[in-house]
Amino acid sequence: MDSIAFSEYMIITGIILMIANLIASIFKLFFRPDALYISGKTKTLSNVLLIFLELLFISASIVTMHYDNTAIAVAPALFAIAITFSALLILGFVQMRGISALSMRILERLVGVIEAGDENLDGHSLHVQNLTMLIYDHLPFSARLRLNPTNLEYASLLLDIGKLGIPRSIIHKAGKLSKDERELIQKHPEICMEIFSSIDSLKTITLWIKYHHERVDGSGYYHLTGKEIPLASRILAVADTYSAITMDRSYRPSLPYENAISELHLVAGKQLDEELVNLFCSIPKSKIEACMNDVRDRMKKYQSGTFR
């Protein structure tokens, strides 16, 4: 192999390494340390391997300057390692996305079936899921980079799972709640945390759920204010509030879109994040109402037992 051919080899290897780095960056963007199904140790190992490959490449380049024959022997092996690792990264990314999508569909159906038997839920979590992801899609790019969309979607579906630990008589009570009853209902985010406390990959998600009833003015359950409340929790709060206002309950009628938007503006800066409320209210009405139409279609299947 002459020096020109070897230089071409090294250039191609460098390009492959850069592609591997790009794939790893994309991988980390969608599967951050708080993501499901992949541990921080796995991502750390992939970063170490990338650094090792780059060091090999740099070493081979240095050797080329002095010992062409040795460098020529190293280059094919380095090239093969770079290609193999890039392929593994791509395969791992595709598999993780597939597992996550399948698990999401399973959870959606389980939540739908549970809520189909409750007149005061009747697709509420699925509605919150749709609204949450609609808000996410309209966030500025810099804000989306701070959130893992998969985790956000799981949090929206598990938002009220803690209410399963509260007596139905309290959940469905039409009159004014007693102090003890109100305090018990306020514990449903903590109950959710207890349910999933042994699953490390859900810790961030349950933390978001824990704070989704916080008020930005500091008068919520835990007295966090403004930006002290996680962004995901503030997004969930807007979606949950709008859904609660626009869905029928046994103890009160629902409000139409226009009235619900007015209600959101009234509590903006007090209960809900004002910027997120303004963002939500700027989303076309047709897109927001499509979230409910989708839920109604899905709930018909769950209520009838037809899950196809």
Side-chain angles (χ1 to χ4, degrees):
M1 183 183 296
D2 56 32
S3 59
I4 295 178
F6 175 70
S7 298
E8 291 175 351
Y9 233 133
M10 297 301 286
I11 290 172
I12 293 173
T13 304
I15 293 173
I16 293 295
L17 285 170
M18 285 189 291
I19 292 173
N21 259 322
L22 177 60
I23 294 170
S25 298
I26 294 173
F27 192 87
K28 287 184 289 184
L29 177 63
F30 286 94
F31 293 92
R32 297 172 185 273
D34 59 354
L36 298 167
Y37 307 117
I38 183 165
S39 66
K41 291 181 179 179
T42 303
K43 283 187 291 298
T44 300
L45 179 60
S46 68
N47 289 335
V48 170
L49 287 173
L50 275 176
I51 293 171
F52 178 68
L53 286 173
E54 289 173 343
L55 288 174
L56 278 178
F57 179 72
I58 293 170
S59 299
S61 300
I62 294 173
V63 171
T64 304
M65 299 171 61
H66 302 285
Y67 307 103
D68 285 347
N69 291 334
T70 304
I72 290 171
V74 170
L78 179 61
F79 184 69
I81 292 172
I83 291 178
T84 301
F85 188 64
S86 298
L88 288 174
L89 276 175
I90 294 173
L91 179 61
F93 180 75
V94 171
Q95 288 179 333
M96 290 298 174
R97 295 294 290 177
I99 292 171
S100 180
L102 175 61
S103 299
M104 187 71 71
R105 289 197 297 271
I106 292 172
L107 181 59
E108 286 173 1
R109 294 197 174 198
L110 288 174
V111 169
V113 170
I114 291 171
E115 295 193 347
D118 191 326
E119 63 179 337
N120 286 318
L121 291 176
D122 195 26
H124 170 64
S125 296
L126 299 180
H127 192 210
V128 172
Q129 175 197 21
N130 284 348
L131 293 170
T132 296
M133 301 319 294
L134 182 64
I135 294 172
Y136 174 83
D137 289 340
H138 285 78
L139 287 174
F141 181 70
S142 59
R144 292 202 303 274
L145 287 178
R146 294 163 55 191
L147 296 168
N148 182 300
T150 302
N151 282 356
L152 187 61
E153 198 164 8
Y154 271 93
S156 65
L157 282 169
L158 296 172
L159 197 69
D160 284 333
I161 203 74
K163 288 183 179 179
L164 294 176
I166 298 173
R168 298 295 91 188
S169 59
I170 297 178
I171 295 292
H172 300 313
K173 186 174 180 179
K176 185 177 180 181
L177 296 173
S178 67
K179 180 182 177 182
D180 290 341
E181 290 171 336
R182 188 168 57 254
E183 288 179 351
L184 184 57
I185 286 183
Q186 289 176 351
K187 289 182 179 179
H188 78 267
E190 293 183 8
I191 294 174
C192 175
M193 292 193 73
E194 290 175 10
I195 292 172
F196 299 109
S197 61
S198 62
I199 305 177
D200 290 340
S201 57
L202 290 178
K203 284 185 177 178
T204 295
I205 292 172
T206 53
L207 191 67
W208 292 347
I209 293 173
K210 177 180 179 179
Y211 295 127
H212 83 277
H213 278 304
E214 285 302 90
R215 298 172 60 99
V216 294
D217 64 3
S219 61
Y221 296 175
Y222 305 98
H223 306 295
L224 299 181
T225 61
K227 298 298 189 289
E228 291 177 351
I229 305 168
L231 173 60
S233 300
R234 286 178 274 138
I235 293 172
L236 292 169
V238 173
D240 185 38
T241 302
Y242 178 84
S243 178
I245 293 172
T246 56
M247 293 191 73
D248 288 322
R249 294 290 186 269
S250 62
Y251 47 86
R252 60 155 178 77
S254 63
L255 293 179
Y257 168 83
E258 288 75 15
N259 296 68
I261 292 298
S262 297
E263 290 289 323
L264 292 183
H265 280 303
L266 285 175
V267 297
K270 301 172 185 177
Q271 175 185 338
L272 303 175
D273 185 296
E274 188 168 9
E275 290 182 10
L276 288 175
V277 167
N278 291 335
L279 181 147
F280 180 79
C281 294
S282 70
I283 298 173
K285 176 182 177 181
S286 59
K287 290 186 177 182
I288 293 177
E289 293 190 332
C291 291
M292 176 58 79
N293 294 334
D294 172 68
V295 171
R296 289 195 180 108
D297 290 340
R298 290 155 73 185
M299 290 306 294
K300 286 178 183 177
K301 298 178 182 178
Y302 301 135
Q303 289 164 346
S304 66
T306 305
F307 304 122
R308 294 185 299 274

